[in-house]
Amino acid sequence: QAQLVESGGGWVQAGGSLRLSCAVSGPTFSNYYMAWFRQAPGKDREFVAAINRSGGSTYYPKSVKGRFTISRDNAKNTVYLQMNSLKPEDTAVYYCVAKTGGVSDISDRYDYWGQGTQVTVSS
């Protein structure tokens, strides 16, 4: 059973950058499809990015495409989310998630979740 721990959240001004990390322990990290979701107060959970097992394919919604980059280091059991050109609407708790069997943009299909890390972008 995988355990996920996020880090790297914080406060940043609009236009700034942050990099989130998610360390994964448990069975073989390279077996997992990884993703990031976020949830702002009063809003539904939103898909942010996903990556396949090798790291060769990545997926983004229009809201973050071109600004966010997901990557993974299978040797370090870690997935990253580089966030550039941040906007106030990016403010949310960001969650790292994992699943087997294929990538998805639906949060309920992910089996393992981190505790979340807060990202706050001020205008």
Side-chain angles (χ1 to χ4, degrees), residues 43-64:
K43 294 190 176 181
D44 291 337
R45 198 173 290 158
E46 179 186 12
F47 169 69
V48 174
I51 190 166
N52 70 349
R53 293 184 298 171
S54 68
S57 295
T58 56
Y59 309 86
Y60 306 93
K62 288 182 180 179
S63 58
V64 307

Side-chain angles (χ1 to χ4, degrees), residues 57-112:
S57 295
T58 56
Y59 309 86
Y60 306 93
K62 288 182 180 179
S63 58
V64 307
K65 195 166 187 175
R67 300 188 298 123
F68 290 11
T69 303
I70 188 172
S71 61
R72 66 190 294 162
D73 186 337
N74 286 347
K76 295 184 178 180
N77 287 13
T78 303
V79 63
Y80 305 96
L81 183 68
Q82 178 67 44
M83 305 185 293
N84 298 330
S85 302
L86 282 161
K87 305 175 182 180
E89 51 263 44
D90 293 319
T91 296
V93 177
Y94 283 70
Y95 297 93
C96 174
V97 298
K99 69 185 296 291
T100 57
V103 72
S104 176
D105 62 357
I106 301 173
S107 61
D108 290 348
R109 294 186 178 174
Y110 285 84
D111 301 309
Y112 305 105

